[in-house]
Amino acid sequence: MKKRVPAIVACILLLLSSANLRAQGEFGGHPLGQDWHILTSPAVRVIFPVGMDSSARRVASIINYIDTTNRRSVGPLKKRVDIVLQNQTVNPNGYVALAPFRSEFFSTPPQSSLVTGSTNWLDLLAIHEYRHVLQSVNSRRGIVKFMYWLQGEAIWQAMNAIVTPDWYSEGDAVITETALTESGRGRASFFSLQQRALAKADLNYRYAKHRNGSYVSMLPNQYPLGYMMLNYLRNKKGNDVTAEILRNATRFVPPFYSFSRAMKRETGFTTPKLYRAAWQDFKVKAAEELSETELIPTLALTANDPRRVTRYDYPLPLDDGTLIARKRSYAVTDRIVRLDGDKETILTTIGFNQDEWLAEGNGLLTWAESTKNPRRGYQDYSDIVTYDLKSQQKNRLTKFTRYFSPSVSPDGQRVAVIHITPTQQNEILVLDAKSGIVIKKIANPENYFLSRTAWAEDGNFIVSFAKVESRLSLIKWAIDEAATTQLTPWSAHTMDSPFVKDGKVYFNAGYSGIDNIYSTDLGGSQEIYQVTSVPVGAFEPSVGGGYVYFTQFNAQGHYVSRQKLADVAGRAAIEIEKPVDMARYQSTAVASEGGEILSKVQPTDFPVRKYSGLFQGIKFYSWTVTPSVAVPAIDLGMVNLLNDVQISLGGGINRNENNASFYNASLRIARFYPAIALNASNSQRNSDYLPLGSQPARLKFNETKIGGTISIPESWQKGNFLTTFTPYTGLDYYLLSGLVTETGLLPHRNFAAYTIGGLLSSVRRRAYQNVGPRLGFALLVRSTQTLGSATPNDKQFSRLSLYLPGVGRNHAVEIKLGYQSEPLANLYQFADEYEYPRGYATPINDKFYSLSANYGLPLLYPDFGLLGITYFKRVRAKLFYDYGVGEITRLARKTKYNSVGAEIIFDNTYLNLLPLSLGVRTTYLLQNDPASNRKVNVGIFLSTNF
């Protein structure tokens, strides 16, 4: 009899599998022929592309400095980590994974400084991500360490996720980057934007809602949430208290709420209690600071939808009195709209993109969209798109480029862009607005990091932000001569979105602790004037008709506002100081962690060698034991440094099959253009077939299989569609032994089989609230044929899914067509993976045709938690109709399978960590089930799609 795996073990296994998926990254994602080197130092090993030598040394120097001077508030344990510098992608990111233990830095910085502050990008990543390394290493104690020695790095990642909540991990890392630099996100006003909006609206959500998120409410993520909570805790209980909490949490006694209970023992705060105290403290201080601010009235031009969070960006006035703006919400993806009073018209959509940006010149709009190398996931691009308001034509101006923040010249004939090379060289290019050809390069001899562009009204100058040594300034670049003018002082304050009008540059900045609109003149006086004074934040200015237009922020998102320029006439220039340590930012960590370190770090010439060979640095990272009563197993995993070679070994015992043992091994190589997989396995099989009579018979046997597969996984990202195409072919050799059958008929003992197949799909991206794709298709085709057998066999399989929009914005329709053919007369049967009509037992058949229609829609957004065990985020429904026909050719029999039903699916988060969608399905059979007399079936299932 089968026994159930204990619930806690099942949860850990689910966490383990999800951790493994996250940790794999882009397998084989690097362009073929890219040359790599390895820098080795005591704390870190940096794997970097040729041309990134100085960046690798800088990263290693910062990390080794932190490793020797700044670890007191996290713990004493250390372990050298591998960091891969990725320079072919334009996606700014970084992460630390524990299975395998490694980190990746994506070296191209974000264009906006609002989210990350003014710290140099790789410096910020070195501080922030190495803090995650130290957190993880110091969590490997107690029960976590015990499980690590039992199961390897995969279980380490899963247990670490259970022990340390994400708000601790990210909040502690933000505190560290703030304490060790002169800027850091903890000092940036944009970082607390959402919290200040909630405080002003007096919205006091529960901790569980903040922890798990919401489909309907705007909530700060784990970064500001954790910063607020830990900042308050350190101020009250001392800066180093978190190290002791982390150490005690790893004891895992009891197995639930271990971090919260450890924190209570050390500080008296449970997690919810700490959240309430920190939130109340934040609200009081934010209200006090706001009470000292002189506000300037503004007029809202758009209204927020109370049912969903909405974002407007870059309102641009036109000569006809209308406005153009970007818009997206929880229900719809990016688009451009025209605002004419209360009327809103959709002009066009915006595809996948890394950054919110929009500019206009003489009726031509421009922005950047993302595309990618079809084969290599670590190589992607930022291309320029234009839209002509007069002709209503959209044009992809460039292809496979690394261009950012485009702006159109006043005459509409040229487009200025920021160009950042893979080796992080920055320049401004001027393109022809019709062809995309480069017509001018503007030199940047100091190699400032450049962001955003705006044209002067005479078309002779371009304005952009420049960054060096974690300082920002607004610079005016002459197009026809090598001349620059500094327009603002160098500052660690965040600055964004320049707009030129009437000899002035308008931009938003966080000078006062609240993001507002400021201006300076094009002459270079470096005098700065405050234009707006709003309670939460003002961004993305434009000017026209005596008004300044911008976006403001409240508890439901960004909305468009305007203000008369005359309201600020005669105001005096402001003084710029260091980023203000306002009451809501003050932290004992700034002094206790040692203060700013970047100016103290000295570059060190660590030894460097060339990376070569497929198996460079390959190591065991997982030896996972599956503690199943029915099928205990062990899996061993290995991977190389660049994550393009993987080896896995496994085996176990199937107690349900007379204690039969099984083994498997595989080698995957994805460095070359085709991906190659070699595999070998041995297992016990049971299959049903139809002999000369009319009753099915069962064949039992041991199966040894040796084979390989060659595939070409490709994907394209263009506009709003992600298209994938993966053709593959494989050849397997089967050796059968120990054959036992009821009829005495036995299949050929040794034979080969080849498989040809492919996956082709093109699916439109989804908005956050959409229950499924609203447009697209997915086609899977596979054909398998035996070779060298006296009784040849073949199997055909195909499945087509069509995705269509439903009636509501968040509704979705899926229509599935399926076909499978494999003669029952064949003594050997391949594994059956077909999706049969719901409610029926698996039918015996030679051929099967099916049609399934599904309609999904959201029902409720409860935002309700149960003791930290599960959190109900959304309840949705699916109505379905399934139809199928099964054929048994020898008996000339066709059987219909026909059912309708409904599913109620709960999109929950379990243990504040694991998102799972569990459903209850009720099926009514319109045709009798040959294997049962039941007409109604009710069951519970795990939903893996919409």
Side-chain angles (χ1 to χ4, degrees):
M1 184 179 71
K2 295 182 180 179
K3 296 183 179 180
R4 295 183 180 274
V5 177
I8 182 63
V9 176
C11 288
I12 291 176
L13 291 176
L14 285 169
L15 287 168
L16 178 60
S17 62
S18 64
N20 272 325
L21 289 174
R22 290 193 300 270
Q24 294 303 317
E26 287 284 351
F27 182 62
H30 305 107
L32 185 63
Q34 189 173 10
D35 291 326
W36 296 84
H37 284 80
I38 302 175
L39 178 154
T40 303
S41 72
V44 62
R45 183 164 56 173
V46 184
I47 301 92
F48 62 94
V50 172
M52 297 288 288
D53 307 60
S54 60
S55 296
R57 285 195 301 271
R58 175 68 174 174
V59 166
S61 299
I62 292 173
I63 288 176
N64 279 277
Y65 184 92
I66 294 173
D67 193 59
T68 57
T69 61
N70 298 98
R71 298 195 296 118
R72 51 181 287 184
S73 60
V74 69
L77 302 183
K78 59 192 298 184
K79 178 180 173 65
R80 187 165 66 185
V81 65
D82 294 328
I83 295 178
V84 181
L85 292 187
Q86 304 287 359
N87 73 340
Q88 296 293 319
T89 174
V90 298
N91 176 30
N93 204 351
Y95 73 87
V96 173
L98 303 185
F101 182 47
R102 69 200 297 267
S103 178
E104 291 190 330
F105 292 3
F106 300 81
S107 60
T108 302
Q111 280 287 289
S112 175
S113 66
L114 294 180
V115 176
T116 58
S118 65
T119 307
N120 291 348
W121 175 240
L122 286 178
D123 291 359
L124 181 72
L125 285 180
I127 296 172
H128 186 99
E129 301 303 332
Y130 190 63
R131 186 65 171 193
H132 288 324
V133 169
L134 293 176
Q135 293 164 356
S136 300
V137 171
N138 281 276
S139 76
R140 202 177 68 176
R141 290 185 280 199
I143 189 65
V144 179
K145 185 175 183 179
F146 174 74
M147 294 298 293
Y148 167 79
W149 287 117
L150 283 181
Q151 302 247 45
E153 292 178 350
I155 197 67
W156 178 22
Q157 176 143 324
M159 297 293 288
N160 183 71
I162 295 174
V163 169
T164 55
D166 58 358
W167 61 261
Y168 159 76
S169 301
E170 299 301 350
D172 179 67
V174 173
I175 285 178
T176 303
E177 74 186 47
T178 304
L180 302 186
T181 69
E182 290 187 353
S183 54
R185 278 175 279 189
R187 294 187 183 91
S189 54
F190 187 83
F191 186 68
S192 63
L193 180 74
Q194 295 170 318
Q195 291 165 315
R196 290 185 286 110
L198 294 177
K200 185 176 183 301
D202 198 26
L203 291 174
N204 302 297
Y205 297 131
R206 302 183 306 274
Y207 165 75
K209 185 168 181 173
H210 271 281
R211 179 77 164 89
N212 294 285
S214 171
Y215 280 105
V216 290
S217 302
M218 185 276 296
L219 291 169
N221 62 24
Q222 64 268 29
Y223 293 81
L225 173 65
Y227 182 85
M228 179 189 74
M229 293 173 64
L230 290 177
N231 192 37
Y232 178 84
L233 184 68
R234 290 188 180 194
N235 286 340
K236 293 294 183 182
K237 301 297 180 179
N239 185 62
D240 299 337
V241 69
T242 48
E244 191 64 20
I245 293 171
L246 181 61
R247 186 179 70 84
N248 287 329
T250 59
R251 294 174 179 172
F252 217 61
V253 179
F256 297 107
Y257 317 120
S258 57
F259 191 88
S260 183
R261 290 179 183 271
M263 186 166 62
K264 184 177 182 180
R265 285 194 297 270
E266 293 297 323
T267 68
F269 287 109
T270 62
T271 302
K273 183 178 179 181
L274 173 62
Y275 164 74
R276 290 192 295 269
W279 176 236
Q280 184 61 32
D281 180 73
F282 180 92
K283 287 200 308 175
V284 169
K285 291 177 178 177
E288 290 175 352
E289 292 163 357
L290 187 58
S291 68
E292 300 172 358
T293 302
E294 180 185 353
L295 301 178
I296 301 175
T298 63
L299 176 66
L301 301 181
T302 59
N304 288 114
D305 188 337
R307 298 170 297 175
R308 57 184 58 91
V309 177
T310 304
R311 175 168 182 166
Y312 289 90
D313 283 290
Y314 292 99
L316 301 169
L318 301 179
D319 292 338
D320 61 5
T322 63
L323 289 174
I324 299 294
R326 289 180 65 139
K327 181 184 179 181
R328 61 184 170 92
S329 76
Y330 279 7
V332 297
T333 56
D334 298 286
R335 55 197 56 199
I336 295 177
V337 297
R338 185 190 295 268
L339 304 175
D340 187 2
D342 295 332
K343 184 180 178 181
E344 186 174 299
T345 306
I346 300 173
L347 298 181
T348 188
T349 60
I350 295 177
F352 289 97
N353 60 92
Q354 300 293 343
D355 192 19
E356 303 290 343
W357 180 256
L358 182 67
E360 183 269 341
N362 196 30
L364 187 67
L365 304 178
T366 186
W367 63 92
E369 291 187 7
S370 302
T371 57
K372 63 188 296 291
N373 181 319
R375 174 64 181 88
R376 303 299 182 181
Y378 281 130
Q379 186 174 53
D380 47 39
Y381 310 97
S382 178
D383 293 328
I384 306 305
V385 179
T386 62
Y387 180 82
D388 193 313
L389 291 171
K390 299 175 183 177
S391 66
Q392 300 182 8
Q393 294 296 309
K394 185 189 294 186
N395 177 37
R396 185 168 293 274
L397 190 63
T398 68
K399 296 180 180 179
F400 308 117
T401 55
R402 297 170 55 94
Y403 296 164
F404 306 89
S405 297
S407 61
V408 184
S409 61
D411 60 6
Q413 301 301 308
R414 294 168 293 171
V415 175
V417 298
I418 304 293
H419 177 218
I420 306 177
T421 70
T423 56
Q424 303 306 299
Q425 301 301 305
N426 293 254
E427 61 184 350
I428 296 177
L429 302 180
V430 179
L431 314 178
D432 179 83
K434 293 182 179 179
S435 66
I437 295 173
V438 177
I439 57 179
K440 186 70 177 181
K441 293 184 179 182
I442 300 178
N444 177 20
E446 301 295 330
N447 196 33
Y448 297 139
F449 168 69
L450 302 177
S451 61
R452 306 310 195 197
T453 63
W455 287 80
E457 292 173 285
D458 60 7
N460 295 323
F461 299 93
I462 294 171
V463 171
S464 77
F465 294 108
K467 181 195 292 187
V468 64
E469 296 181 352
S470 298
R471 294 289 189 274
L472 285 165
S473 178
L474 196 59
I475 304 293
K476 183 178 72 173
W477 308 81
I479 294 177
D480 295 326
E481 55 181 305
T484 61
T485 304
Q486 184 178 340
L487 302 183
T488 63
W490 292 102
S491 164
H493 292 277
T494 57
M495 306 166 68
D496 201 23
S497 304
F499 185 91
V500 180
K501 186 70 172 180
D502 299 330
K504 296 181 179 179
V505 185
Y506 297 83
F507 57 96
N508 58 266
Y511 293 136
S512 69
I514 297 176
D515 288 284
N516 270 294
I517 309 303
Y518 296 85
S519 71
T520 189
D521 62 82
L522 280 174
S525 69
Q526 299 190 32
E527 293 183 343
I528 298 175
Y529 298 85
Q530 185 167 348
V531 177
T532 67
S533 182
V534 299
V536 180
F539 309 91
E540 301 155 356
S542 61
V543 175
Y547 293 96
V548 56
Y549 297 88
F550 49 92
T551 57
Q552 278 189 250
F553 193 78
N554 64 16
Q556 281 300 109
H558 295 257
Y559 61 97
V560 178
S561 286
R562 77 178 185 190
Q563 176 187 305
K564 290 183 179 179
L565 284 174
D567 290 345
V568 293
R571 285 179 174 260
I574 66 168
E575 295 291 331
I576 298 180
E577 300 176 356
K578 290 184 178 181
V580 288
D581 285 319
M582 301 181 74
R584 63 179 182 268
Y585 305 138
Q586 289 174 358
S587 173
T588 61
V590 172
S592 300
E593 293 286 349
E596 189 271 336
I597 67 168
L598 296 179
S599 62
K600 305 172 186 176
V601 174
Q602 299 298 318
T604 305
D605 287 328
F606 298 108
V608 175
R609 60 184 173 85
K610 185 176 177 60
Y611 180 103
S612 61
L614 280 174
F615 300 96
Q616 179 74 247
I618 198 162
K619 67 171 183 175
F620 274 110
Y621 71 91
S622 176
W623 42 96
T624 304
V625 177
T626 304
S628 170
V629 175
V631 189
I634 184 170
D635 295 291
L636 309 177
M638 291 182 283
V639 69
N640 68 343
L641 288 175
L642 288 182
N643 194 30
D644 54 18
V645 175
Q646 292 179 353
I647 299 174
S648 64
L649 305 170
I653 298 174
N654 190 337
R655 298 192 185 280
N656 292 330
E657 301 287 351
N658 298 319
N659 292 322
S661 60
F662 60 90
Y663 312 95
N664 54 69
S666 68
L667 169 64
R668 298 172 62 207
I669 302 174
R671 179 170 301 180
F672 311 110
Y673 191 76
I676 302 169
L678 305 175
N679 58 79
S681 66
N682 176 271
S683 61
Q684 184 170 14
R685 289 284 316 280
N686 291 294
S687 66
D688 293 323
Y689 67 99
L690 191 66
L692 294 178
S694 60
Q695 295 299 317
R698 172 155 293 188
L699 175 67
K700 298 181 179 180
F701 57 94
N702 291 322
E703 177 182 278
T704 299
K705 184 171 70 171
I706 302 173
T709 301
I710 296 176
S711 63
I712 304 177
E714 295 190 310
S715 63
W716 296 263
Q717 184 176 281
K718 184 177 181 181
N720 278 305
F721 282 84
L722 179 62
T723 301
T724 62
F725 177 50
T726 305
Y728 62 90
T729 183
L731 178 65
D732 294 294
Y733 189 75
Y734 296 79
L735 297 90
L736 308 185
S737 62
L739 293 95
V740 178
T741 182
E742 302 163 355
T743 65
L745 297 173
L746 298 176
H748 198 70
R749 293 180 180 271
N750 303 326
F751 63 92
Y754 71 88
T755 300
I756 297 176
L759 170 66
L760 175 63
S761 69
S762 184
V763 179
R764 194 186 195 281
R765 65 172 171 151
R766 297 159 57 173
Y768 181 49
Q769 288 182 339
N770 297 164
V771 301
R774 289 172 54 82
L775 196 62
F777 72 91
L779 174 64
L780 175 63
V781 178
R782 182 170 64 239
S783 175
T784 303
Q785 175 74 53
T786 59
L787 300 170
S789 173
T791 55
N793 186 18
D794 69 287
K795 182 170 185 173
Q796 313 300 323
F797 176 90
S798 60
R799 182 176 65 233
L800 173 64
S801 296
L802 300 175
Y803 303 104
L804 301 169
V807 175
R809 282 186 174 182
N810 293 313
H811 298 195
V813 175
E814 181 185 28
I815 298 174
K816 285 185 178 181
L817 301 172
Y819 170 74
Q820 178 175 271
S821 171
E822 183 177 22
L824 280 169
N826 295 327
L827 299 180
Y828 180 87
Q829 298 282 311
F830 294 101
D832 190 350
E833 302 171 357
Y834 197 78
E835 294 182 13
Y836 294 100
R838 281 161 280 196
Y840 289 92
T842 302
I844 296 175
N845 63 88
D846 288 299
K847 297 180 181 179
F848 205 94
Y849 311 83
S850 63
L851 165 68
S852 177
N854 303 271
Y855 190 96
L857 69 158
L859 297 179
L860 300 170
Y861 300 100
D863 281 346
F864 169 75
L866 182 63
L867 301 176
I869 298 172
T870 188
Y871 189 83
F872 295 80
K873 292 183 67 174
R874 179 172 65 186
V875 181
R876 53 190 169 96
K878 185 191 294 185
L879 308 176
F880 66 86
Y881 169 73
D882 288 352
Y883 176 80
V885 177
E887 293 185 16
I888 300 179
T889 306
R890 180 177 300 172
L891 303 179
R893 178 193 299 169
K894 289 187 177 181
T895 305
K896 292 184 179 180
Y897 301 85
N898 209 354
S899 64
V900 296
E903 299 171 352
I904 303 298
I905 303 166
F906 299 87
D907 294 322
N908 283 26
T909 302
Y910 292 85
L911 303 179
N912 293 322
L913 178 65
L914 182 64
L916 282 179
S917 297
L918 295 178
V920 178
R921 176 187 298 141
T922 300
T923 308
Y924 180 76
L925 306 187
L926 301 177
Q927 233 90 31
N928 290 332
D929 186 352
S932 171
N933 292 322
R934 288 182 300 180
K935 297 288 287 186
V936 178
N937 284 318
V938 179
I940 298 174
F941 67 97
L942 176 65
S943 176
T944 57
N945 52 37
F946 98 85

